[in-house]
Amino acid sequence: MAEEPTTTTLVTPEKLPSPSLTPPEVSESTQDALPTETETLEKVTETNPPETADTTTKPEEETAAEHHPPTVTETETASTEKQEVKDEASQKEVAEEKKSMIPQNLGSFKEESSKLSDLSNSEKKSLDELKHLVREALDNHQFTNTPEEVKIWGIPLLEDDRSDVVLLKFLRARDFKVKDSFAMLKNTIKWRKEFKIDELVEEDLVDDLDKVVFMHGHDREGHPVCYNVYGEFQNKELYNKTFSDEEKRKHFLRTRIQFLERSIRKLDFSSGGVSTIFQVNDMKNSPGLGKKELRSATKQAVELLQDNYPEFVFKQAFINVPWWYLVFYTVIGPFMTPRSKSKLVFAGPSRSAETLFKYISPEQVPVQYGGLSVDPCDCNPDFSLEDSASEITVKPGTKQTVEIIIYEKCELVWEIRVTGWEVSYKAEFVPEEKDAYTVVIQKPRKMRPSDEPVLTHSFKVNELGKVLLTVDNPTSKKKKLVYRFNVKPL
C-alpha cells in the first residue's frame, strides 16, 4: 500500500513573519529513520485565513484593491527515485565526525538578563557598591589626571542606566566580587588610554581582512553575528602580509580592535537591550596551531579581549571543526569554567548549516554557510534580510512538495536551496481550471553538491491555480530544505 502523505498547511501573508525570538528546540538525532509501515499524519495550522466573500455592496475602487495572500501547503510522500548509496566522500566525512566524537553543545546556557530590574538583591548591592567606588574615583581623578569625562565604548560612566549595564559586565566577569571588578575596570580604562582607543576608532586603517572577520545579520534573539573565517589565512600572500613581522602583527591587532570597538558601539546598552555578540568561527582549512606567527598574534589578542572586553560574547559556534581542534580543546577544556563551556557549540562539516539554523534564521545566514543571505555588495533585488524563510527537513527516501495556492494574478518570485543538494528538484504550475494544462516551470533536475547553492525562479500567474515546488531525496541522509517567496501583484 502506498504511504499516505504528511501535510502541514498554513496561510502565509505577503511577507513571511519575522523570525521567532525564541530559539528552536535542539535535536540531538543525526538521522530520522525511514517509516516501516503506512502511517497518516495531518497537521493543520491556519493563521489569518483568506477572508470569506462579503455580500455587502462596496465601492468599485475598494473591491478592486482587495488582495488575497497565497496559501502554502507542505506535503511529504515517499521518494519516487531509486535509493542511492552514499558516495565514498560522504561515508568518509560521516565516519570522521563519528570517530572524532565532535561535541554538539557543552551544556545549557541562558544569557543573564541585562534588565536592571531583574537583578537579585545581592547583585543590586554589588552594583551599588561598585558605583560608589567609581564615583569616588571620578571625583578624585583616579582614572585620569584631569577632570575630563571618562567613557567606555562611547558611554560616559555613571551618566545614565547604560553605565549600569557596562558595570554589570565587569561584575559578571569577576563573579560579582566588587573589588576585583573595580580593579579590572581601572586597568581597562588605563589600557584604553594607553592604546588611544577613541582615536583608533576614528582612524582610517587599511587591511585586506574583510573576508576574514565580518558582521552579517542577527541571530534569532537579535544578537548581531560576527563571522571569523580562519581558512582565509591559507592564502600565503595574505598570511605573510598580516603576520610576517612584528610591525605587521601590531597592525593586525589594531585593525581587529578597531573592528571590535566599532561593532560594540552599535550595540544597545540600555536596560534590557542586546549588548552581546554571537560569534561564528569557521574552522574549514584553518592553518591550525602550527603557524607560530598566527599563534603568537592570536594569544596576544585573546589576552587583550579577556582583560578589557568582558561579557561581550553571547555564544561561540565553531563550525567545520577538524579533528586537530578537538585535541586543542581537550587540552584547554579542563581549565574552562562550566559557564564558559556552556557558551560553546561545535559542529563538523556535514552539520554546520543545520547547527547554525538552530540559532540563526536561514535568511540571516550567508549563502556560503547554507543560508540565503548574499553579501550586501551583491545584488538581490527580490529579497532582503527582512524576508523570512521557511525550513523543512526532508527525510531519507522521501519527497517534499511545497504547494503555493494563488488567489489572484501576480508574479511569484521564490528562492530555494537544499544544503549539499544530492536531490531532484522540479517546479510546475497547476491551473485551477480542470481542463487546463500543467505548466512546467522547471523540469526535474538532479542537483549536485557542485551546483549553484541557491536557485531563484519567477513565474507570472495569469489565472488561479497553484505553484508546486518538489524536492525528492533518494539518499539515506536527511536534508534541510529552505525556501522563501515574494508576491508582486500584476
Side-chain angles (χ1 to χ4, degrees):
M1 182 181 292
E3 182 182 9
E4 292 294 328
T6 299
T7 304
T8 303
T9 303
L10 61 154
V11 174
T12 307
E14 185 170 2
K15 276 204 171 184
L16 297 176
S18 300
S20 168
L21 297 181
T22 306
E25 294 182 1
V26 177
S27 171
E28 294 298 328
S29 62
T30 57
Q31 180 172 304
D32 293 287
L34 282 169
T36 56
E37 59 181 357
T38 303
E39 64 176 23
T40 302
L41 173 64
E42 292 192 1
K43 299 177 185 176
V44 179
T45 305
E46 293 191 356
T47 57
N48 191 26
E51 296 179 2
T52 54
D54 189 350
T55 54
T56 348
T57 304
K58 294 183 179 180
E60 187 176 341
E61 294 77 14
E62 185 178 343
T63 304
E66 286 183 356
H67 171 59
H68 295 292
T71 302
V72 180
T73 302
E74 298 165 356
T75 305
E76 176 187 299
T77 55
S79 172
T80 55
E81 294 196 10
K82 184 179 179 181
Q83 187 82 6
E84 294 179 3
V85 182
K86 290 181 184 178
D87 57 54
E88 187 177 337
S90 290
Q91 289 180 346
K92 185 176 180 181
E93 184 180 86
V94 173
E96 282 296 321
E97 285 197 38
K98 288 183 178 179
K99 181 179 177 181
S100 59
M101 297 180 65
I102 295 173
Q104 297 302 309
N105 198 319
L106 301 176
S108 60
F109 168 70
K110 181 174 175 59
E111 186 176 27
E112 293 91 345
S113 172
S114 63
K115 288 185 178 179
L116 301 177
S117 58
D118 289 343
L119 296 176
S120 66
N121 290 333
S122 62
E123 290 171 341
K124 288 178 182 177
K125 182 181 177 183
S126 296
L127 178 59
D128 288 339
E129 290 177 2
L130 180 57
K131 289 170 70 174
H132 178 71
L133 292 177
V134 173
R135 172 50 62 196
E136 286 185 340
L138 288 172
D139 292 342
N140 297 322
H141 312 310
Q142 293 180 24
F143 294 132
T144 60
N145 296 324
T146 60
E148 63 186 39
E149 189 178 51
V150 179
K151 293 182 179 181
I152 296 186
W153 307 303
I155 298 172
L157 288 180
L158 301 187
E159 184 172 291
D160 52 38
D161 284 351
R162 295 178 302 160
S163 172
D164 290 353
V165 174
V166 169
L167 296 181
L168 272 175
K169 290 183 178 294
F170 288 90
L171 284 168
R172 284 178 170 139
R174 293 295 180 263
D175 295 323
F176 281 87
K177 296 175 182 176
V178 177
K179 290 184 178 179
D180 291 348
S181 303
F182 181 65
M184 184 183 187
L185 177 65
K186 284 183 66 176
N187 290 334
T188 295
I189 293 174
K190 179 183 177 183
W191 171 79
R192 293 176 67 84
K193 186 176 181 182
E194 292 172 351
F195 211 87
K196 298 181 179 180
I197 293 296
D198 291 332
E199 291 87 342
L200 175 62
V201 171
E202 302 301 326
E203 282 187 45
D204 187 17
L205 297 180
V206 178
D207 66 35
D208 298 312
L209 304 177
D210 54 324
K211 291 184 178 180
V212 177
V213 183
F214 59 91
M215 305 293 291
H216 191 102
H218 296 79
D219 73 358
R220 294 180 185 270
E221 296 187 34
H223 302 93
V225 182
C226 177
Y227 291 84
N228 301 286
V229 189
Y230 297 105
E232 292 291 329
F233 287 127
Q234 286 286 14
N235 183 319
K236 290 184 179 180
E237 182 180 349
L238 178 62
Y239 185 90
N240 292 331
K241 191 175 181 180
T242 308
F243 301 116
S244 59
D245 58 49
E246 186 63 27
E247 195 63 33
K248 288 183 173 64
R249 290 193 289 273
K250 284 183 180 179
H251 181 74
F252 166 76
L253 187 62
R254 285 173 58 79
T255 58
R256 294 309 90 205
I257 290 176
Q258 183 191 66
F259 176 86
L260 180 60
E261 281 283 333
R262 288 177 174 177
S263 301
I264 286 176
R265 293 179 188 223
K266 295 177 183 178
L267 298 175
D268 182 4
F269 284 91
S270 62
S271 177
V274 175
S275 60
T276 52
I277 296 170
F278 190 113
Q279 285 203 335
V280 177
N281 303 284
D282 181 7
M283 309 303 292
K284 184 178 181 180
N285 298 326
S286 174
L289 302 176
K291 300 279 190 179
K292 64 178 183 179
E293 300 88 359
L294 176 59
R295 187 171 66 247
S296 173
T298 300
K299 182 175 181 293
Q300 187 180 6
V302 168
E303 288 174 353
L304 282 177
L305 295 180
Q306 288 178 339
D307 294 341
N308 302 290
Y309 294 91
E311 300 296 310
F312 275 106
V313 177
F314 164 63
K315 193 171 284 291
Q316 290 261 22
F318 294 83
I319 61 174
N320 296 313
V321 177
W323 66 269
W324 63 260
Y325 194 82
L326 296 178
V327 177
F328 171 67
Y329 173 76
T330 302
V331 175
I332 67 169
F335 300 98
M336 298 176 66
T337 65
R339 183 171 178 274
S340 296
K341 286 183 180 180
S342 68
K343 291 186 178 184
L344 305 181
V345 177
F346 295 88
S350 68
R351 296 194 65 182
S352 291
E354 178 184 351
T355 299
L356 287 180
F357 290 166
K358 293 175 183 175
Y359 306 99
I360 310 170
S361 299
E363 69 274 5
Q364 298 279 336
V365 176
V367 168
Q368 62 267 37
Y369 296 119
L372 297 175
S373 183
V374 298
D375 188 282
C377 298
D378 294 335
C379 180
N380 187 355
D382 296 313
F383 296 96
S384 68
L385 286 173
E386 284 68 44
D387 294 313
S388 58
S390 297
E391 308 166 50
I392 311 172
T393 296
V394 188
K395 297 177 184 177
T398 65
K399 179 169 59 176
Q400 277 283 351
T401 299
V402 178
E403 183 180 286
I404 307 172
I405 303 176
I406 310 297
Y407 296 99
E408 62 185 349
K409 292 183 179 181
C410 66
E411 181 180 9
L412 188 70
V413 184
W414 67 91
E415 287 185 326
I416 187 168
R417 81 170 299 174
V418 174
T419 307
W421 290 112
E422 294 181 315
V423 299
S424 177
Y425 162 71
K426 68 176 182 178
E428 54 192 357
F429 174 72
V430 181
E432 185 181 71
E433 191 177 337
K434 286 185 178 181
D435 297 331
Y437 291 102
T438 296
V439 179
V440 176
I441 304 172
Q442 168 66 60
K443 63 181 181 180
R445 174 184 174 186
K446 286 190 176 182
M447 304 297 299
R448 306 299 180 188
S450 57
D451 289 332
E452 59 268 44
V454 180
L455 292 180
T456 303
H457 281 146
S458 64
F459 183 72
K460 288 187 177 181
V461 181
N462 292 307
E463 56 184 318
L464 300 186
K466 54 190 177 184
V467 172
L468 305 180
L469 312 178
T470 303
V471 170
D472 195 333
N473 177 20
T475 73
S476 56
K477 298 179 293 184
K478 68 178 180 180
K479 298 284 185 176
K480 181 67 73 172
L481 163 64
V482 178
Y483 72 93
R484 61 179 171 177
F485 66 88
N486 275 333
V487 176
K488 302 176 182 178
L490 295 178

